[in-house]
Structure formats: C-alpha cells, structure tokens
Amino acid sequence: MSERLNKIFKSPTPKTKLVSYFVGCYPTPEISLELIKQAIDNGVSILEIGYCTSEASAEGPIIKAAHDHVLNNGHNLNDIIKLVKDIRDYNQDVGIVLMGYIANLYKYPISKFVDDIKVAGADAVLVVDAPHELKEENQLREALDKNGLSLIKLAAPTTDDNRLKDIVNIASGFLYQVNVSGVTGVKSANETDVANFVKRIRNLTQIPICSGFGIKSPEDAKKMANSGCNGVIVGSAFVKYIQDNIKNKDLPQSLGNLVKNFTEELK
C-alpha cells in the first residue's frame, strides 16, 4: 500500500479529503500542470490523473470530449507519466492516482508501466475496466504491491455482497465508491443511498472510502461528506469548468477558486 495515501487518510485535517479528477495533458500538458498546481494549492488531498483512451467506456460526454482532445493532439501515456513527475516535483505530499483502462497498460507493458510510475512519483492505479478475475489485473496488482503502490478498486451500487467482500479484500489505498449507476457526469447522487452504501462497506472493511459520481457542486460534496465516507471525488464538474473556460487566460487561478469552494465545505 502507498505510504503517502496512508498518511493522507490518517491526517485529521481536512476531515473529508477532496479527490479531484483531471484528464492528464488537457487542454495542453503545460496548462494541465498549472491547473493541477492550483488544485493542490487550494486543498486537494488526492489527484486522479486520467490517461486517455479512445475507448473510454465509463466516461460521460464531458470527460470523453477531453479524452478525444488529448488524443487528437497526439499525447499518450508517456506524456501523462511525465506530467506525474512534474506534479511530484512541485509537491511531495499530494496523493497521485493514475486512472484509466487496462489496454493502455497491457500495451506499455504492465511491468514497465509500474516501474515508470514509481520513479515518477505516483501512489496508485485505478483501472476502470479490469475486474479482479482478469489475468492482467492480477499481474498489475502483484507488480504494484511489490513496489509499495496501491491498486484502487471500484464498488458500485449494483455490486452484491459476495462480490463486495472479494473487492474490499484486495483493494488498497482506498475504495472508490461509485454513487450512481451509469457513466460519469450525468446523474446526481442521492445522500441517503450513498450513506446506506457506506454502511454496507463498513460492515466488511475499515479501508478508507471515497465517494464519487454525481457530485457536481460544493453543496453536493458537503452532503456526501455527511454519509460517513473519508473522501469525495469530483471529476466532471472540474473538467466541464475547464472546457467552458478554456480560452480564459486566468483559467488556472479561477479553477483554483472553484476547488477552494469545495475544500471549504470539507474542513
């Protein structure tokens, strides 16, 4: 398990951690780094950096458009790993999770990918489309474990109790609790449903729980924080803000102000 993630969740402040998702190298590698710096400076505890694929099956239209933009500009997983190194050079405390799909890692291949992200300073990997029965997922988990890195696992409202037990037994770092069924950025989360799901998970494990999908505003984040989770994950709201303000020369600073609006609700 990542020692950095462990330290983040053991810290009493902020009470609920903000986990922010950004599409790596969007809209450009240079601007992406500046946006992420502002997010760090305004209280983000953990960064999820999306590495792009043309088959982003779990992504809604907002994040899918950002993926397409990055791919059309010719950027790949190597560029994302360089971005991770630049982020780590800027800050030694923030958690960094690389998030994406298994095909990219298989092609890289997996062993080299884990070596490279460890050197760059990442803490964990989340693979959206790799169930624990998949051979490649097991290869990835084993390589990460040997290098002191975490494999974040997803649990959805439709996950039955038997499967949930299997997932929490192999998850490391934190568990990504998916609040709603479907793709990112479309539905809103229901506070009662999320709280009940947290209770289901807590009956099985004490691993930190981060609640994601359907959190669109600081008010949503505050409500989800009351569910008993350890962190809230905001993705589409930030990516949409970047898309809507992409020509604004002060975009990094204005995004930083938006991030602060979220972190202020989670102290």
Side-chain angles (χ1 to χ4, degrees):
M1 175 178 173
S2 161
E3 285 300 318
R4 190 179 282 109
L5 291 181
N6 192 32
K7 183 178 179 181
I8 288 168
F9 286 110
K10 282 187 173 180
S11 172
T13 55
K15 181 180 178 182
T16 308
K17 320 306 177 190
L18 179 62
V19 183
S20 63
Y21 172 90
F22 293 98
V23 176
C25 296
Y26 179 72
T28 68
E30 296 78 15
I31 296 173
S32 181
L33 178 60
E34 293 308 311
L35 292 166
I36 289 167
K37 285 179 178 179
Q38 284 290 326
I40 294 168
D41 292 347
N42 284 281
V44 161
S45 296
I46 299 170
L47 296 159
E48 286 181 349
I49 308 297
Y51 56 86
C52 294
T53 177
S54 59
E55 300 175 358
S57 56
E59 313 305 344
I62 295 166
I63 292 176
K64 181 66 166 59
H67 276 248
D68 291 344
H69 178 97
V70 173
L71 291 170
N72 289 337
N73 284 345
H75 298 298
N76 58 28
L77 188 48
N78 288 307
D79 298 311
I80 304 299
I81 294 173
K82 182 183 182 302
L83 176 64
V84 169
K85 184 180 184 305
D86 291 339
I87 296 166
R88 184 56 69 217
D89 288 344
Y90 180 73
N91 185 281
Q92 291 295 308
D93 299 319
V94 70
I96 302 176
V97 179
L98 279 165
M99 182 173 178
Y101 296 78
I102 194 66
N104 304 66
L105 310 189
Y106 183 73
K107 292 174 185 175
Y108 197 88
I110 288 171
S111 57
K112 184 177 188 310
F113 168 76
V114 173
D115 288 344
D116 287 354
I117 67 168
K118 182 176 176 64
V119 171
D123 300 293
V125 178
L126 195 165
V127 183
V128 177
D129 60 340
H132 57 269
E133 294 90 350
L134 191 72
K135 177 181 71 175
E136 289 80 7
E137 194 267 12
N138 283 267
Q139 292 172 351
L140 174 62
R141 180 156 29 100
E142 183 178 329
L144 290 168
D145 189 56
K146 285 180 179 177
N147 284 276
L149 304 179
S150 292
L151 181 63
I152 311 300
K153 297 298 291 181
L154 294 155
T158 52
T159 306
D160 65 39
D161 286 346
N162 287 333
R163 187 166 187 81
L164 188 58
K165 287 177 185 176
D166 291 339
I167 290 170
V168 299
N169 283 337
I170 61 175
S172 175
F174 63 88
L175 185 71
Y176 190 129
Q177 174 196 346
V178 179
N179 293 330
V180 296
S181 302
V183 297
T184 58
V186 177
K187 299 178 183 177
S188 294
N190 178 278
E191 184 179 354
T192 301
D193 291 344
V194 173
N196 288 336
F197 194 14
V198 169
K199 289 177 184 176
R200 275 186 65 203
I201 297 168
R202 280 281 173 259
N203 286 333
L204 300 172
T205 182
Q206 290 304 306
I207 192 172
I209 301 167
C210 291
S211 175
F213 280 51
I215 302 172
K216 300 180 178 182
S217 68
E219 294 73 25
D220 289 342
K222 186 174 184 178
K223 288 178 182 177
M224 292 307 110
N226 292 330
S227 70
C229 64
N230 304 93
V232 296
I233 303 168
V234 180
S236 295
F238 292 150
V239 177
K240 185 177 188 303
Y241 187 85
I242 295 166
Q243 287 173 349
D244 291 346
N245 297 276
I246 203 162
K247 294 183 178 179
N248 180 359
K249 62 181 177 61
D250 297 319
L251 175 57
Q253 291 76 18
S254 62
L255 177 80
N257 290 333
L258 176 61
V259 170
K260 189 175 182 180
N261 291 338
F262 279 85
T263 56
E264 287 290 325
E265 297 289 351
L266 300 175
K267 287 183 176 178

